[in-house]
Amino acid sequence: MKIRKITCAFLAAAIALAGFAGCGSKKESVRPITEESLDVPYDVTAKITVAITADPIEKTLINALAEGFRQQYYNVTVEPVIIQGEYVKELGNRFAAEKNKPGSVPDILFANSETSYSLISYGLFENLDSCLEYETEKNGEYIGQFYDYFMKLGQEGLDGSQYILPRSADRVVTHLNTRILGEAGVDMTKVKNGWTWEDFLEVCRTVRTFLDENGMNSRYVIDSYVNWEAVMYPIFRSFGVEIFDGKGNVTLDDASNVAGAQAALDLMKELVDERYIAPLNSDGSANFEGGQGAMMFHSAPVYKYKGILGDDYDIVTFPLIGETPKIGAGLAGYGIFSGSANKAVAWKFLSYMLSREGQETLAEGGSTCLPIRTDMADPQTNKWSEKYRDMNMEAYSYRMDYNQATDFYLPFEASAQADVISDLSDLVVSYLGGDSFGKAVSTFKIAIGNL
């Protein structure tokens, strides 16, 4: 098979990644961080900039952290820089301008599961191993304070050097419209952390019957997002399925995977066949955000929906599938730009973000995500859930050993990552739309072979 390898010139024309050194290899660090440089005096005068997306909560969170950080480093200004439009593309534009206009790329860059692998591979992030070693020398238990699984999501290849620091422990949960579930007569004793896929299907059947009997035939039960990698891949992995071998060859129809792959796809297809979800090749949805859907699978924080649904809103874990259940977990965090002139101060800011005080400051700024610190998991005694203690916030931390990262694209060049994810999504859409298993896998193989 052919794994796509795009030249830097093509990247410049296609996705504005001009100047990313090595077409996927690390660039040499500019002004590398040293142990000596990390001894930053508290009266240092500096300004650091933080790249964020246009989501308003991002600016609010950075401003909250900045205010808390100034209590320690009182002469340091932290300024959020909103990256409009397509985040990676605009960072590429800024990187291309960096040579002639230093400071075009902010000192600290936001990253999530979708962007981290590419941005690490293209050399935008500073290797943070020396920073972690510095902190560990001062406190031998430093690394042990954080969820190891989520820290790995910010590492090269999920097990290499650290480039990105998670600000929280994000995972997929089931969002609930309890009013609809109550009106439908759902047995809510089944809707609890650790509920099974069979329990979930029983709830879906009850709601489907209620909708049909009340003239709401065109409405759907759940926004499942089953062709989103954070949902579809954990479903495949719950059946023990490997998408690729270590060389990037498709293994879905190998003898060791075919039964599980078929079962995983059939599990997803039942949701369409029973009209629990809208056909994936349509514009339909359950419209959970509009108050019409009973449930939704997503990692979105609760503040987004509490304001819409009020007391009719709650969450529960993603339903457990089989004997080896998996739950989608992802990354949202920050790394230091490898060309930054303010790396040591930038590290102090990120280190503050990881501290208990910093995590509480994020909560005060509006974050309702599970903190990255293991000592802050209890929602009844920590600020991240202070406004939501009438809700089942324990869903976020339930059985963290079930977490599943999106890692199936690791055999591929960074430039092909988005296409690999998109091609797997297309496979799910085609099978749920009526294509045979053989045809769906064959089309997937052709797409991967053309990368």
Side-chain angles (χ1 to χ4, degrees), residues 55 57-58 61 110 147 150 166-173 175 298-304 315 330-333 358-360 362-373 376-379 382-386 388 393 395-397 400:
D55 187 339
I57 189 63
E58 298 296 331
L61 294 179
F110 173 80
Y147 286 109
F150 288 93
R167 71 178 181 208
S168 55
D170 296 356
R171 71 195 319 224
V172 174
V173 295
H175 299 260
H298 214 283
S299 59
V302 298
Y303 72 81
K304 288 192 172 185
I315 59 173
L331 172 71
Q359 291 287 294
E360 289 183 342
L362 280 172
E364 291 168 354
S367 176
T368 58
C369 295
L370 178 69
I372 189 62
R373 298 179 60 90
M376 297 180 70
D378 185 358
N382 288 283
K383 289 185 178 181
W384 63 277
S385 59
E386 193 169 39
Y388 306 97
M393 301 297 280
Y396 285 117
S397 58
M400 299 293 265

Side-chain angles (χ1 to χ4, degrees), residues 104-362:
S104 296
V105 179
D107 300 295
I108 296 174
L109 308 178
F110 173 80
N112 57 21
S113 298
E114 182 180 357
T115 61
S116 60
Y117 181 61
S118 295
L119 296 180
I120 290 173
S121 296
Y122 287 119
L124 261 77
F125 288 113
E126 178 75 8
N127 187 317
L128 300 178
D129 286 353
S130 61
C131 300
L132 296 176
E133 290 169 3
Y134 171 84
E135 300 296 343
T136 302
E137 287 178 3
K138 296 191 299 178
N139 175 9
E141 299 179 356
Y142 183 78
I143 295 296
Q145 299 176 106
F146 316 116
Y147 286 109
D148 179 65
Y149 180 88
F150 288 93
M151 292 294 284
K152 286 182 178 296
L153 296 182
Q155 296 172 5
E156 183 179 19
L158 303 185
D159 63 356
S161 292
Q162 193 82 40
Y163 286 88
I164 302 169
L165 297 175
R167 71 178 181 208
S168 55
D170 296 356
R171 71 195 319 224
V172 174
V173 295
T174 309
H175 299 260
L176 308 172
N177 185 320
T178 56
R179 177 186 59 80
I180 294 176
L181 296 177
E183 290 175 352
V186 167
D187 180 359
M188 294 301 290
T189 64
K190 294 184 177 295
V191 186
K192 59 186 179 182
N193 293 339
W195 64 328
T196 65
W197 191 262
E198 290 71 25
D199 294 332
F200 163 69
L201 289 179
E202 182 177 331
V203 171
C204 287
R205 283 192 290 270
T206 300
V207 176
R208 179 72 269 163
T209 298
F210 165 76
L211 294 175
D212 290 344
E213 289 179 348
N214 288 275
M216 294 177 278
N217 308 69
S218 62
R219 282 174 54 177
Y220 295 97
V221 177
I222 178 171
D223 289 319
S224 66
Y225 298 102
V226 289
N227 62 320
W228 175 37
E229 63 270 17
V231 174
M232 65 179 175
Y233 185 53
I235 291 177
F236 278 116
R237 293 297 301 134
S238 293
F239 286 93
V241 175
E242 299 286 353
I243 309 298
F244 302 104
D245 63 16
K247 298 179 179 179
N249 298 300
V250 177
T251 58
L252 288 170
D253 53 356
D254 286 2
S256 59
N257 282 309
V258 63
Q262 179 84 62
L265 288 167
D266 284 344
L267 177 143
M268 290 184 261
K269 190 172 187 298
E270 183 180 4
L271 301 180
V272 174
D273 293 344
E274 297 297 330
R275 295 185 299 123
Y276 302 151
I277 68 173
L280 301 186
N281 54 5
S282 74
D283 294 329
S285 73
N287 191 20
F288 181 85
E289 293 189 26
Q292 294 183 314
M295 294 177 286
M296 177 179 69
F297 294 151
H298 214 283
S299 59
V302 298
Y303 72 81
K304 288 192 172 185
Y305 307 108
K306 185 68 171 180
I308 298 171
L309 300 176
D311 293 339
D312 296 331
Y313 174 61
D314 209 340
I315 59 173
V316 71
T317 56
F318 184 80
L320 305 184
I321 301 170
E323 297 180 358
T324 58
K326 301 295 182 182
I327 298 175
L331 172 71
Y334 305 93
I336 299 173
F337 173 46
S338 56
S340 169
N342 301 298
K343 291 178 183 177
V345 179
W347 168 254
K348 293 300 182 181
F349 179 74
L350 293 184
S351 181
Y352 171 74
M353 177 189 73
L354 293 179
S355 70
R356 186 178 184 90
E357 181 181 347
Q359 291 287 294
E360 289 183 342
T361 298
L362 280 172

